[in-house]
């Protein structure tokens, strides 16, 4: 069911469950071409989340900063194409949430092993903030922190479970957000990890 969390945020509970087998197979195929790696932040810390990408643009981070790159810096090759089941899932979820015509050119794959977390931040490396962001949670559950437009604003805690899809846009696009440390556990399809797919219009 669709749950409106605020003006521009919709949580589609279990939206990705119907096609979960094909979806996870497509993700695994991408990860064979573009392996997960721990990115280093401009501050020199290695992120606890490991990351890969597919689509025309991949989000990367190193000592020089955060940016979108057309090539995988580890291989020097273009990122793997965005598999159709992933693109269609993102487009369908965006349309359901009121953002018809969403055409993502970047899919970031974040992998959380137990203990991995993501600190509070805004997504502002994209060129166009008018497009929404679609986030698909797979595997172990996590508590997502949905903050406000200022870092100091209080955060709501939202449990994201396997198959949940969150869509943000409009007035909520620039909210601060993060993920609390993932608790140990074992998911029947993905084992001891949480995988998050983040679809964006980077360019
Ligand atoms: C995750 N990833 O669970 C999250 C899901 C990231 C990231 O945050 O940057 O890789 S995406 C959540 C998101 C994106 C854009 C806006 C908002 C949340 N929001 O306004 O809350 O790995
Ligand atoms: Fe983010």
């Amino acid at each position: 069911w669709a749950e409106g969390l605020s003006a521009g945020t919709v949580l589609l509970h279990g939206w990705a469950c119907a096609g979960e087998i094909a979806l996870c197979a497509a993700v695994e195929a991408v990860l064979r071409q573009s392996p997960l790696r721990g990115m280093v932040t401009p501050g020199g810390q290695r992120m606890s989340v490991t990351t890969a990408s597919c689509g025309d643009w991949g989000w990367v981070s190193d000592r020089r900063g955060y940016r979108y790159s057309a090539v995988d810096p580890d291989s020097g090759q273009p990122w793997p194409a965005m598999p159709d089941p992933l693109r269609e899932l993102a487009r369908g979820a965006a349309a359901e949430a009121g953002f018809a015509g969403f055409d993502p050119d970047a899919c970031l794959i974040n992998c959380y092993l137990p203990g991995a977390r993501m600190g509070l931040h805004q997504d502002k490396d994209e060129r166009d903030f008018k497009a929404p962001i679609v986030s698909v949670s797979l595997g172990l559950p996590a508590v997502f922190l949905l903050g406000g437009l200022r870092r100091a604003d209080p955060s709501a805690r939202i449990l994201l479970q396997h198959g949940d899809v969150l869509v943000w846009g409009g007035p909520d696009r620039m909210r601060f957000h993060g993920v609390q440390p993932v608790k140990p556990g074992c998911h029947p399809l993905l084992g001891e990890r949480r995988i998050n797919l983040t679809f964006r219009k980077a360019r």
Side-chain angles (χ1 to χ4, degrees):
W1 74 104
E3 181 184 0
L5 298 179
S6 62
T9 307
V10 177
L11 174 51
L12 302 171
H13 290 272
W15 179 267
C17 284
E20 61 180 0
I21 307 278
L23 190 61
C24 290
V27 172
E28 299 290 4
V30 167
L31 295 180
R32 283 192 289 276
Q33 290 173 260
S34 173
L36 293 163
R37 78 295 301 267
M39 299 267 185
V40 174
T41 65
Q45 301 272 73
R46 194 167 292 275
M47 294 173 65
S48 62
V49 174
T50 55
T51 293
S53 285
C54 61
D56 291 343
W57 297 97
W59 183 87
V60 298
S61 174
D62 59 23
R63 291 305 296 244
R64 288 157 51 211
Y66 306 129
R67 65 193 168 277
Y68 281 92
S69 170
V71 296
D72 178 342
D74 282 7
S75 68
Q77 296 296 120
W79 300 99
M82 193 183 298
D84 285 334
L86 270 66
R87 183 187 305 277
E88 289 311 315
L89 174 72
R91 287 182 61 82
E96 179 74 11
F99 297 96
F102 179 50
D103 183 24
D105 58 10
C107 173
L108 177 68
I109 303 170
N110 286 147
C111 179
Y112 297 73
L113 299 184
R117 60 184 287 276
M118 190 175 288
L120 218 55
H121 67 279
Q122 289 173 302
D123 289 12
K124 51 186 181 187
D125 302 319
E126 300 72 30
R127 192 162 286 171
D128 177 4
F129 298 144
K130 286 197 295 291
I133 292 180
V134 173
S135 153
V136 179
S137 292
L138 298 169
L140 292 178
V143 175
F144 182 74
L145 299 170
L146 180 58
L149 296 176
R150 294 166 303 180
R151 183 176 287 280
D153 290 342
S155 298
R157 283 169 175 70
I158 298 160
L159 181 66
L160 294 181
Q161 294 178 287
H162 176 77
D164 287 351
V165 179
L166 260 171
V167 182
W168 285 270
D172 292 333
R173 174 64 180 74
M174 299 311 288
R175 279 178 185 260
F176 278 87
H177 57 278
V179 178
Q180 288 192 340
V182 169
K183 294 198 180 115
C186 187
H187 185 270
L189 215 50
L190 285 168
E192 271 192 298
R193 57 191 172 147
R194 168 178 191 254
I195 291 203
N196 183 272
L197 310 176
T198 308
F199 295 89
R200 302 190 179 91
K201 183 84 182 161
R203 298 299 173 100

